[in-house]
Each structure stands twice: as structure tokens, then as C-alpha cells.
Amino acid sequence: MTKKALICGVSGQDGAYLAHLLLAKGYEVYGGSRDAQMASFHNLDRLGIRRQVTLVSISINDFRSVLQTLLRIKPDEVYNLAGQSSVGLSFEQPVETLESISMGTLNLLEAIRFSDLPIRFYNAGSSESFGDTGSLRADETTPFRPRSPYGVAKATAYWQVANYRESYNLYACTGILFNHESPLRPERFVTQKIVRAAKRIAAGSSEKLVLGNIDIARDWGWAPEYVEAMWLMLQQPVPNDFVISTGETYKLRDFIHTVFSSLDLRWEDHVETDRSFFRPSDIAEGHSNPAKARDMLGWSATYRMPDVARMMVAQEPN
């Protein structure tokens, strides 16, 4: 029988790539959005799959909306990729961030429990939950010490999933994803901001790219292959949580250098830093240990930061 999947947050980067993956695997894919009639699904359009996804209106902050949707569709798998997704914006909108991530996750879990349907649930966690671990390579046993409202919200949702798994025997798991990028990223994310500015400069723009702290270090991966890890988590006999990452960390200035050099530019001639762009608190370094995903899921990242930066440049329209 054809499997059915509901993707909450289908309009985002990960939602669109996941929909593409599941369609290729023969799934019947339902894409959830707060208002499916009014929302923009340009990422689905870019991947050429909008007509293959059944779009549904669902507000994950409204328990009744969630329950009605689950009872109507009766999905085999539910992927929770919804909620406010920007760390920087979470400092400006902490309440909306916490509510959209933690309350949305709780409503989905409670609706699955109440429906009594054999649904397998994936929750999008984040490495931001770890906070600043220094040079320690964070894995599934590393304590959470988040340094942003976004990280706090993601840590809250993680423990909600763990609690429902243990208390009610739900098949529910969290993927603790480190940074993952693609051409579908909006420009509020610094990686895309860098790529688009570099492309404009290469085309003749005289602008200066102004950034915050370029000495932060992150583990950057390629989003299209990270969604495969999400799917793999729901195919296991027992639900579990996994760190998903490349295992390699680079400074933001390395990302900048790779992007500009791929366009035959010296980044130092075009980039300035401004302390007003710094966050109230930030993670200096992010290091990861994805061994569990490799050993239990058979998944490991193919692309590292230099590959990701060059692919984003190559796939960004001129």
C-alpha cells in the first residue's frame, strides 16, 4: 500500500526537499501550511513538485486543527518542520518562537496520542540546543545549554518528544540537525546573504557586504541529503534521536572565502563587519559527532562546507 506522509512546514527549505524525496519513494505527500490557499510555495515550484503535493491548511498551534487534519488524512508518517526558523529573529520575537516551536510540537504529539493512529513522528531538532560546547564534539548524550530563544524552544520540543515516547509509547524521534544549507535558503540566513551579495558583486555591483561576527565556527552540510536522514529515522524498528551533521567545522570567514574565490574575487575587498550585527549571545563554535547516525542509520554526509558553498554559488540564478 502507498504510504502517506504529512509534512508540516512544507514551504520551507527542508520541507520542500523532503517532499521531493518522499515523492520519489512513491509516497502520497500532504504539505501543511497555516493557510494553504494564500501561502507561497515557491520552493515546491523551484523543485517542480507543487502539483504532486496535496496542500492542506493546518495550524499546529491549534490542537483542533491538528487533530482534524490527522483524522482526515490518516498519515503513516508526520514530519514536524514548522515553526519560526531563524536564530537571529528569535531574539526579536521570543514569544512567537517559543509558541510556534514548542506548542506546535506538543499539539502534534497530543493529537497523535488522542487519534490512536499508528503514526510515526519526526521532530526537527537543532544543534542550537547544545549552546556553546567549545571544542567538544556534541553527540546525543551532550547536555543542552541553549544560548538563544530559538535554542530554548528547540530544546523544549526535544524533551516533549522524549516524554511522549517514554510515557505513551509513541513512535516519536528528534533529529538534532547541525547547520544545513541550499539554494532554497531565504536571504535572512547569512549563508544565502553571502552568496547573493557575492553574485551581485561579480556581476558588477559596487556594494559592500556588511556582516556581524565572521569568526563563529559551524558544521555546515547540504540540506538535500539531510532530509534523507529524517526519513531513515522513521524506518527504524525502534524510535531514537540522532545528531545529523558532517562532523567537520569551519569558520564563517572560511565560507565567505570559498564563495568569493569561486567567483574569482578577494572577499577582503568587499566585506565589512559591524558589531551592531552581533547577536546578544551567540555560539562561538559548533562541533559534532554524527557517529550514531552512521552506525545505526547507515547515513553519513557526502558534502562538506567547501562543497556546499560552491554548490550554492553554482545553483544561484545570475
Side-chain angles (χ1 to χ4, degrees):
M1 290 181 62
T2 301
K3 279 189 175 182
K4 288 193 255 185
L6 169 63
I7 303 172
C8 299
V10 74
S11 61
Q13 167 189 263
D14 292 3
Y17 282 122
L18 179 62
H20 188 271
L21 175 77
L22 295 179
L23 287 168
K25 293 184 178 296
Y27 278 67
E28 188 177 335
V29 177
Y30 293 80
S33 177
R34 192 173 304 168
D35 187 341
Q37 291 185 315
M38 297 296 292
S40 168
F41 295 99
H42 62 273
N43 283 339
L44 299 181
D45 287 327
R46 283 186 68 173
L47 297 182
I49 59 171
R50 180 167 178 168
R51 295 187 176 211
Q52 297 167 258
V53 176
T54 302
L55 302 173
V56 297
S57 295
I58 175 175
S59 173
I60 64 170
N61 279 8
D62 180 346
F63 176 78
R64 187 167 175 265
S65 171
V66 174
L67 182 61
Q68 286 180 330
T69 303
L70 294 185
L71 292 176
R72 183 173 74 253
I73 297 172
K74 295 182 172 59
D76 299 284
E77 298 171 2
V78 172
Y79 295 85
N80 177 26
L81 311 181
Q84 202 288 101
S85 61
S86 168
V87 177
L89 186 61
S90 76
F91 286 99
E92 299 173 31
Q93 300 178 1
V95 175
E96 196 276 334
T97 299
L98 185 64
E99 288 182 348
S100 69
I101 293 172
S102 65
M103 285 305 300
T105 303
L106 182 59
N107 282 332
L108 284 162
L109 289 165
E110 185 67 0
I112 291 171
R113 182 177 79 90
F114 193 84
S115 73
D116 206 28
L117 293 168
I119 292 171
R120 295 193 169 197
F121 177 71
Y122 171 84
N123 175 57
S126 171
S127 60
E128 289 288 326
S129 299
F130 292 124
D132 204 333
T133 59
S135 59
L136 174 70
R137 299 178 68 212
D139 63 18
E140 296 79 5
T141 66
T142 304
F144 289 163
R145 296 194 65 183
R147 292 175 59 83
S148 67
Y150 175 83
V152 170
K154 285 293 187 180
T156 303
Y158 170 90
W159 288 117
Q160 288 169 335
V161 170
N163 179 248
Y164 269 72
R165 183 171 62 224
E166 294 165 8
S167 300
Y168 304 116
N169 202 31
L170 294 192
Y171 192 110
C173 54
T174 296
I176 309 171
L177 273 61
F178 277 69
N179 297 61
H180 48 291
E181 313 299 325
S182 79
L184 299 189
R185 273 290 193 219
E187 198 164 332
R188 71 171 181 267
F189 288 84
V190 69
T191 49
Q192 189 68 290
K193 180 179 179 180
I194 293 163
V195 168
R196 289 184 178 170
K199 294 277 281 194
R200 291 192 299 268
I201 292 167
S205 171
S206 60
E207 69 189 272
K208 290 287 186 180
L209 172 59
V210 182
L211 300 170
N213 184 2
I214 63 173
D215 286 315
I216 59 166
R218 296 290 186 271
D219 182 325
W220 280 288
W222 184 236
E225 62 180 359
Y226 278 42
V227 298
E228 184 182 10
M230 300 176 187
W231 174 77
L232 283 169
M233 287 184 210
L234 297 196
Q235 313 314 309
Q236 305 307 304
V238 177
N240 219 320
D241 304 321
F242 294 89
V243 164
I244 304 299
S245 64
T246 72
E248 294 184 10
T249 295
Y250 295 84
K251 286 192 174 184
L252 183 59
R253 66 170 62 241
D254 298 324
F255 185 93
I256 298 166
H257 169 77
T258 305
V259 168
F260 276 82
S261 64
S262 71
L263 294 165
D264 296 321
L265 298 169
R266 284 184 76 252
W267 71 269
E268 295 91 344
D269 298 333
H270 307 284
V271 177
E272 297 176 353
T273 58
D274 184 340
R275 290 196 65 85
S276 68
F277 282 60
F278 284 35
R279 293 171 181 166
S281 61
D282 207 348
I283 298 170
E285 300 178 27
H287 298 269
S288 69
N289 178 8
K292 183 178 175 182
R294 181 194 64 224
D295 296 342
M296 294 184 67
L297 300 179
W299 182 93
S300 59
T302 304
Y303 302 106
R304 306 299 192 265
M305 184 283 288
D307 308 305
V308 172
R310 285 190 285 266
M311 288 190 294
M312 287 184 71
V313 170
Q315 295 183 27
E316 182 65 25
N318 291 319

